[in-house]
Amino acid sequence: MGIVSPGFTGRRRGGTELPPGQYLTRDFPVLSAGPTPHVLPEHWEFTVTSETGEVYRWDWAALMALPAEEITKDIHCVTRWSKLETTWKGVSLDTLLADVETGADYVMAHSYGGYTTNVPMDDLLDGQSWIAYEYDGEPLDPEHGGPARLLVPHLYFWKSAKWVRGLVLSDTEDLGFWETAGYHEYGDPWKEQRYAGD
Amino acid sequence: MSETNYLDGNAAAGSLSELFAVDLTSAIAQCNGCGRTSVFAEAHVFVDAPGMVARCPGCDSVLLRVVTRPNDTYLDLRGLTYLRVPNS
Ligand SMILES: [Zn+2]
């Protein structure tokens, strides 16, 4: 007899397992905590600031010159929708951080428009995250975070900062926009870490 | 491109009435970012998000955030210098 509530295990649907408490959607809901920035690629810049204050910069041409990957991943929003096998194109953070001298354990992603979210360094490396600039074969729409967004699909999707403009590396963990307002500092959908304390 | 992804401050009335005994939509709010004062009903309110976010109609700074969790609610008022509420 099962003694574990179905809400606390993955649900199977057509052989596909969803994290607990999630439902499947086929459209792509737009969530925004502010006005949509419209940043032209020619004005776009991405920076990585190390814990010693050294700044590494890429403009759009420099990003395009880096090896890109095709990515197919399931994504899980904390508002309970999940979308399966979404396809993206982008540059791995392994590539972008390869020449950055750092021993930092924590990263704050900063976006055009002021949004922030914190992610441990270990969750950005080893093929786990990208700066994505295409979705479903098309340039990424501004409403979905274009020209480029962070993509960290193994965490709740609020961690995949839209309109990303930089990463600030740190030895200490600071909390981002939603994490300072009651959301979980890590956000593992498979552990249902929606809220601080979950 | 025009921005139509927000509502006005009245959209915040429901969430705020759970927290405050007075109707805040007619309150005067001063933005801590730019100093602008406006009636709270003029705020730009974003609800298609993990929480409710009200922003200054002048500079888009966050005035107020409300995150409703299963057992409690987070209210962040850092973006407000003050709220001026008429005495009843
Ligand atoms: Zn303002």
Side-chain angles (χ1 to χ4, degrees), chain A residues 106-198:
Chain A
Y106 301 101
V107 179
M108 187 72 78
H110 291 258
S111 296
Y112 291 97
Y115 182 75
T116 55
T117 187
N118 56 288
V119 185
M121 180 65 92
D122 281 350
D123 289 85
L124 295 183
L125 300 176
D126 299 323
Q128 296 184 93
S129 80
W130 298 266
I131 301 298
Y133 53 82
E134 281 186 18
Y135 171 73
D136 205 13
E138 302 286 340
L140 188 57
D141 269 346
E143 66 175 13
H144 286 303
R149 75 181 297 162
L150 183 62
L151 182 64
V152 196
H154 70 287
L155 301 178
Y156 280 125
F157 211 46
W158 89 76
K159 298 286 187 180
S160 293
K162 300 204 280 191
W163 316 299
V164 69
R165 67 170 172 81
L167 304 178
V168 176
L169 318 183
S170 173
D171 294 324
T172 56
E173 184 172 43
D174 295 317
L175 298 179
F177 186 84
W178 290 120
E179 295 87 353
T180 54
Y183 279 92
H184 198 277
E185 70 271 22
Y186 183 64
D188 182 346
W190 296 96
K191 295 180 178 166
E192 205 167 4
Q193 293 171 337
R194 295 178 199 277
Y195 302 108
D198 282 352

Side-chain angles (χ1 to χ4, degrees), chain B residues 39-61:
Chain B
V39 179
F40 188 75
E42 295 172 359
H44 296 176
V45 175
F46 296 82
V47 294
D48 293 326
M52 190 193 73
V53 179
R55 290 179 180 267
C56 173
C59 75
D60 283 332
S61 290

